[in-house]
Amino acid sequence: MDDLLTRYKAKRNFDITSEPAEGGESKDGQLAFVIQKHWASRLHYDFRLELGGAMKSWAVPKGPSYDPKDKRMAVQVEDHPIAYNQFEGEIPAGQYGAGKVIIWDEGTWTPLGDAAKGYRDGNLKFEMHGRKIQGHWALIRMKGKGEKQPPWLLIKEKDAFARPAADFSVVDEMPDSVVPLRSKTRTPAKAAKVRASETPGEKAALPATIQPQLATLVDGVPGDPSQWLFEIKFDGYRMLARVEGKTVQLFTRNGHDWTHKLPHLAKAIAKLKLKSGWLDGEIVVANDKGVPDFQRLQNAFDSSETESIVYYLFDAPFLDGRDLRHEPLETRRALLKGLFDEKTPPSLRFSDVFDVRPQDLVASACRMGLEGVIGKKKDAPYSSRRSPNWIKLKCTQRQEFVIGGYTDPQGTRTALGSLLLGVHDDKGALVYAGNVGTGFDQKTLGELKARLDAVAADQSPFSAKTDLDRKAHWVKPQLLAEVSFGEWTGSGRIRHAVFHGLREDKKPLAIKREKPVHAVAERGAASKAKAAVPRSKLHVTHPERVIDPSTGLTKLDVVRYYALIAPLLLPHLKGRPVSLVRAPGGIQGELFFQKHMEGKMPGVKPLSQALDPDHAPLMEVPTAQAVLSAAQMNVIEFHTWNGVKTAIDKPDRMTFDLDPGEGVAWESMQQAAKLVHEFLTQLGLESFVKTSGGKGLHVVVAVKKQHDWDTVKAFSQAVVQHLAKTLPQLFVAKSGPKNRVGKIFVDYLRNGFGATTASAWSARARPGLGVSVPMAWDELDSIGSGAHWTITNIQTRLHRGNSPWDAYAPQSLSKAMKLLDFKPSASKSS
């Protein structure tokens, strides 16, 4: 160990840095990993795997990506002690790697093969079990030229977790530390250790059949989510495996034996270290993007090419002669996970849980195109029925329907037009629920028509007439369609329906309209939590559209940026009229400055007409949804008034926009901002600075709502005129390019009624897409331009957030006006 850590120790002075010098313990039978987000000279991610008694470490500049096409550079660095897994804090200035460090992700990893050999050979493949990072990955060493820090590539392998970068960026959507998310309850691994010594479960003969536990659809997360485990909801078929000696059988949820259809899975299960038992899980097939695809699963069975089917296991009601159904879920899962090792066939997967806020997990699942999330009570037994201890949180409304008929095709469509769908009511009658005419490809249409012809009927199976009786061809109510849809109408019809495939694992009489209920709280009472599952997510049209040709940044990049910083942006927009700069053709195209409501923009609210009676209502952007819907409408910049809607006649801040003329060096801008700051301080006013995101800087003063717009504007003009008179070689008080060649115009016009300034955290519609960022005054010398931060490097600033402005508070202008010999009563609007 001393040899492994020699380089690590030589680079650090442990009398100064709080980093651990050594220590740390391995978990029994488990290898740890940690990914630390490190704001050193440049932001990067430190990727560490426990191997050989130390943490093998790589610096990954861009962080991990779920897209197998993204080959992330990973520079190998010195081994770290296992104790480093717990390090989160600030490495002092002057020390190696000085800067902030957070634990971005942590968990365990499982080698796929001989880990030591893979590491030596530069071809290390493994499975990750973290809060953010899951699935199969690889570290591949590149052919270097004897570098002291060998270059590797970190690559996501294709599996059910893989996602295109255009759809999902884990570093952008999950930027924070996982330390606050650590559960206070014991982990499944610890549960297994305790239970193993107690011989969990009761000795029992293996039953011939077993009914699966089913989940209840709910409208929101439980009242105490810390008591629950959350897994991805797979878009596939429920499957139970029965193992007795060398005999393996696979059963659907209805008890149909599908072993003959899935011989490769039966062989894989036979290789587990299991003498007997019942295993519960879901079979899926992933599409080209790595997302479970129900239609592809159906096609795999139709073509008898089932080798691509993967079995995700998530529960074990019976194991090795013991009935575990009355054991806590955590115990059952821990024992199930113990069946997996590096020799487990890749067609078998353990369904991992995600220790993050369920709201965030649902949102991420929806963005990734997954069906939703399953929640399970940690201490609940296994019940062979639909139980409130298992819940479904869906991204969109989706369920099975009974097919009662179909219509003829129209136009170029062949085989059929749409399917007539139904659900059973409480009395068992089949009630018409609408039709579905999208989601079919040519192959599906032909195969579906053949299946429908085989169950043709002379009369309608529905309990009442449908909207399409005259056009319909009736069928016996035997086939089930999996359909997603937008909503139920008041008349009991579905709208915006999309066909996903036929189901053969459920009984038609069991198909009823799914109605979400409230999730149970810890004691079984209805939850009062209103954090509902999003029924629909923002759809980004034309995500590939290039917004900034100089960098190649796209519309999707802009939307992702605003999704990331919305919590920081919203305090600066709160309660204020907001104007928008839109760039539908990119920043090199025509830009539109929008002050008033011009059609619906979800979440953006119209303000009172009285604020601007001669025009359409002004706008307020009060929520993250509003920010993102604006970004979807090609908004690049958010500009705000210096007043709030509740007291619009009296501004609550004063803004000075330092705008450099031609030939002004950045050092002069820094000097000018400091002089403005010093002068305002002499007037008794505390001021705050931010980058403009463009060429200049903004100096902001919070003021009490005591004076009208004309007075505040006139006073700000007096401040600027004093600066220009005192330092004419640097400042100018008149706008216009000719007036400020080689000088800086301090724009006071931003303080007039209806005038706006780019908000803090707003991007700017200029090459590079700079961002206006709040700073502390002592940081001014360390930045290189007003666009020092951009949407591509903003991650390096998120840890500071709005904290440089923590002291921002309203101030009276009375003393300052007196010192400047400014008389409000004599002020005039300019």
Side-chain angles (χ1 to χ4, degrees):
M1 175 59 69
D2 289 339
D3 292 341
L4 291 174
L5 300 180
T6 298
R7 288 181 57 206
Y8 169 80
K9 293 180 177 180
K11 292 183 175 183
R12 292 162 175 84
N13 183 344
F14 297 105
D15 291 332
I16 298 175
T17 181
S18 59
E19 297 166 277
E22 53 192 10
E25 295 182 357
S26 297
K27 297 180 181 179
D28 293 340
Q30 292 183 305
L31 296 172
F33 85 84
V34 69
I35 303 176
Q36 283 151 320
K37 191 172 177 181
H38 188 177
W39 286 269
S41 55
R42 292 187 179 182
L43 173 68
H44 64 276
Y45 295 77
D46 292 316
F47 188 94
R48 311 190 197 281
L49 301 176
E50 180 185 352
L51 185 61
M55 301 302 295
K56 302 298 180 185
S57 300
W58 293 262
V60 184
K62 293 185 178 181
S65 168
Y66 269 101
D67 192 337
K69 295 180 181 178
D70 286 344
K71 296 175 175 57
R72 295 297 204 215
M73 177 65 72
V75 179
Q76 188 173 1
V77 297
E78 70 277 5
D79 292 348
H80 283 52
I82 294 175
Y84 211 94
N85 294 353
Q86 303 302 310
F87 177 70
E88 185 172 270
E90 190 84 21
I91 300 175
Q95 289 295 293
Y96 177 75
K100 183 178 178 180
V101 176
I102 65 170
I103 298 175
W104 182 80
D105 196 19
E106 62 184 359
T108 61
W109 69 285
T110 304
L112 300 178
D114 187 328
K117 184 177 185 300
Y119 177 73
R120 287 195 308 270
D121 295 345
N123 188 2
L124 182 58
K125 296 190 176 183
F126 48 93
E127 186 170 4
M128 304 283 281
H129 313 286
R131 291 181 171 90
K132 300 174 183 178
I133 301 301
Q134 298 279 338
H136 288 202
W137 297 74
L139 275 164
I140 309 298
R141 187 168 57 228
M142 300 171 66
K143 292 183 179 179
K145 300 178 180 179
E147 296 96 338
K148 292 182 179 179
Q149 295 181 308
W152 296 59
L153 295 175
L154 176 64
I155 304 170
K156 179 74 187 76
E157 298 204 318
K158 291 182 179 179
D159 60 15
F161 293 101
R163 287 296 290 146
D167 294 345
F168 179 69
S169 169
V170 67
V171 295
D172 289 328
E173 301 198 26
M174 297 180 175
D176 300 323
S177 169
V178 297
V179 170
L181 303 174
R182 288 174 174 167
S183 174
K184 295 182 180 179
T185 61
R186 73 184 183 191
T187 65
K190 291 180 180 178
K193 187 175 181 180
V194 172
R195 298 300 306 179
S197 65
E198 300 171 4
T199 313
E202 298 177 359
K203 189 174 182 179
L206 188 70
T209 62
I210 186 173
Q211 293 296 314
Q213 180 162 341
L214 304 177
T216 301
L217 180 65
V218 296
D219 62 358
V221 301
D224 184 4
S226 68
Q227 300 302 311
W228 295 72
L229 300 177
F230 294 92
E231 306 171 60
I232 290 298
K233 188 179 189 304
F234 295 107
D235 193 4
Y237 279 159
R238 188 73 171 274
M239 195 64 56
L240 291 101
R242 185 181 188 274
V243 182
E244 188 169 21
K246 295 181 179 180
T247 302
V248 176
Q249 295 173 281
L250 293 161
F251 295 94
T252 68
R253 57 183 286 178
N254 287 330
H256 298 302
D257 191 335
W258 279 20
T259 313
H260 63 288
K261 294 185 177 184
L262 300 162
H264 74 294
L265 293 183
K267 291 179 181 178
I269 293 169
K271 295 180 181 180
L272 295 177
K273 299 174 183 178
L274 179 62
K275 296 177 182 178
S276 68
W278 275 97
L279 307 178
D280 194 356
E282 188 104 353
I283 58 172
V284 302
V285 172
N287 61 20
D288 294 338
K289 296 181 178 180
V291 175
D293 188 320
F294 184 80
Q295 185 66 61
R296 293 204 179 195
L297 177 62
Q298 184 66 57
N299 291 342
F301 283 114
D302 291 343
S303 63
S304 299
E305 296 178 357
T306 60
E307 292 294 324
S308 60
I309 295 176
V310 175
Y311 193 9
Y312 280 89
L313 295 170
F314 46 67
D315 212 325
F318 284 82
L319 280 181
D320 288 335
R322 305 197 74 84
D323 184 350
L324 302 177
R325 289 177 294 179
H326 297 293
E327 294 297 314
L329 170 67
E330 284 191 297
T331 299
R332 300 195 307 271
R333 282 182 54 85
L335 293 170
L336 172 63
K337 190 172 184 179
L339 300 176
F340 286 76
D341 58 26
E342 66 274 5
K343 296 180 180 179
T344 302
S347 57
L348 298 182
R349 309 281 175 83
F350 181 74
S351 177
D352 277 304
V353 298
F354 294 80
D355 194 7
V356 299
R357 290 199 324 148
Q359 298 96 322
D360 295 340
L361 181 58
V362 172
S364 293
C366 296
R367 283 191 289 265
M368 292 172 69
L370 297 170
E371 190 179 350
V373 170
I374 296 289
K376 300 175 182 177
K377 282 289 294 295
K378 292 179 178 180
D379 59 356
Y382 189 95
S383 305
S384 293
R385 58 183 174 83
R386 194 171 299 281
S387 166
N389 291 327
W390 285 19
I391 58 175
K392 294 185 285 189
L393 301 147
K394 289 188 175 182
C395 295
T396 60
Q397 300 203 61
R398 177 169 168 162
Q399 71 165 78
E400 303 83 14
F401 292 87
V402 179
I403 301 174
Y406 65 93
T407 62
D408 290 324
Q410 301 291 324
T412 59
R413 173 72 72 86
T414 61
L416 60 90
S418 64
L419 300 175
L420 279 64
L421 307 173
V423 292
H424 290 96
D425 63 16
D426 293 337
K427 297 180 180 179
L430 187 64
V431 180
Y432 178 62
N435 65 307
V436 58
T438 61
F440 311 105
D441 57 27
Q442 197 62 39
K443 179 183 177 182
T444 302
L445 285 169
E447 294 173 347
L448 192 53
K449 180 61 163 57
R451 296 285 298 272
L452 293 168
D453 288 344
V455 293
D458 295 330
Q459 59 185 11
S460 170
F462 297 111
S463 59
K465 289 185 177 182
T466 76
D467 307 329
L468 300 170
D469 277 11
R470 294 184 179 182
K471 301 179 181 180
H473 301 278
W474 306 116
V475 299
K476 298 175 184 178
Q478 298 177 358
L479 300 178
L480 303 183
E482 177 92 5
V483 176
S484 62
F485 53 96
E487 63 179 353
W488 287 93
T489 67
S491 60
R493 306 288 194 268
I494 58 174
R495 298 181 61 193
H496 310 305
V498 178
F499 175 82
H500 290 276
L502 293 177
R503 293 204 77 104
E504 298 183 17
D505 59 335
K506 298 185 180 181
K507 297 178 180 179
L509 285 175
I511 303 306
K512 298 182 178 182
R513 176 175 172 178
E514 288 190 354
K515 296 181 179 180
V517 299
H518 288 304
V520 296
E522 185 178 0
R523 296 184 180 177
S527 170
K528 297 180 180 180
K530 295 299 181 180
V533 180
R535 288 295 182 193
S536 61
K537 301 304 292 180
L538 178 70
H539 175 60
V540 181
T541 59
H542 306 295
E544 75 290 345
R545 178 184 292 151
V546 175
I547 297 299
D548 178 14
S550 69
T551 59
L553 291 168
T554 65
K555 180 178 178 180
L556 182 62
D557 293 321
V558 175
V559 173
R560 276 188 177 158
Y561 165 73
Y562 279 116
L564 180 66
I565 56 85
L568 299 175
L569 170 65
L570 287 170
H572 298 274
L573 305 183
K574 185 178 180 180
R576 298 182 186 277
V578 176
S579 299
L580 309 171
V581 175
R582 299 169 61 181
I587 63 172
Q588 290 190 337
E590 187 175 2
L591 301 180
F592 298 90
F593 190 81
Q594 180 181 341
K595 295 181 64 175
H596 304 96
M597 290 291 290
E598 298 174 3
K600 292 184 178 180
M601 198 177 291
V604 177
K605 293 183 178 181
L607 291 172
S608 170
Q609 192 75 44
L611 298 183
D612 196 3
D614 297 329
H615 299 89
L618 297 168
M619 297 177 289
E620 181 183 10
V621 181
T623 64
Q625 179 200 19
V627 171
L628 291 180
S629 64
Q632 151 61 15
M633 295 298 291
N634 304 297
V635 170
I636 307 296
E637 301 184 4
F638 293 82
H639 290 239
T640 57
W641 286 36
N642 280 346
V644 293
K645 63 181 181 180
T646 53
I648 199 63
D649 57 329
K650 294 181 179 179
D652 69 338
R653 73 183 179 201
M654 195 166 49
T655 300
F656 298 93
D657 180 3
L658 277 66
D659 191 1
E662 184 179 348
V664 174
W666 177 246
E667 291 77 10
S668 297
M669 285 295 298
Q670 293 168 309
Q671 179 190 15
K674 293 175 185 177
L675 290 169
V676 173
H677 176 224
E678 179 60 29
F679 181 53
L680 291 171
T681 300
Q682 291 177 10
L683 293 176
L685 296 174
E686 186 170 7
S687 59
F688 299 84
V689 65
K690 66 185 180 77
T691 61
S692 69
K695 296 180 180 180
L697 294 164
H698 296 158
V699 177
V700 180
V701 178
V703 301
K704 292 183 178 181
K705 297 185 283 288
Q706 295 174 319
H707 305 282
D708 61 22
W709 289 91
D710 288 346
T711 299
V712 173
K713 179 182 175 183
F715 175 68
S716 67
Q717 182 182 17
V719 170
V720 173
Q721 288 174 334
H722 180 87
L723 289 168
K725 182 179 180 181
T726 306
L727 298 165
Q729 71 278 16
L730 185 61
F731 295 111
V732 63
K734 293 184 178 180
S735 61
K738 294 181 179 179
N739 295 324
R740 50 192 168 107
V741 173
K743 298 182 180 181
I744 297 165
F745 172 54
V746 183
D747 189 352
Y748 62 89
L749 300 173
R750 306 286 182 177
N751 299 309
F753 180 83
T756 62
T757 306
S759 171
W761 303 105
S762 173
R764 304 304 302 273
R766 303 180 183 191
L769 298 185
V771 176
S772 179
V773 175
M775 294 188 301
W777 280 106
D778 60 8
E779 295 181 290
L780 187 56
D781 287 337
S782 65
I783 66 170
S785 74
H788 183 81
W789 290 285
T790 69
I791 72 168
T792 57
N793 69 7
I794 198 63
Q795 288 264 5
T796 63
R797 189 62 184 177
L798 297 183
H799 66 295
R800 294 297 306 274
N802 288 316
S803 62
W805 285 21
D806 281 348
Y808 187 91
Q811 306 160 84
S812 173
L813 290 178
S814 299
K815 179 181 177 181
M817 289 179 174
K818 185 176 181 180
L819 289 172
L820 198 58
D821 196 24
F822 177 85
K823 296 179 176 55
S825 59
S827 66
K828 295 181 180 180
S829 176
S830 299

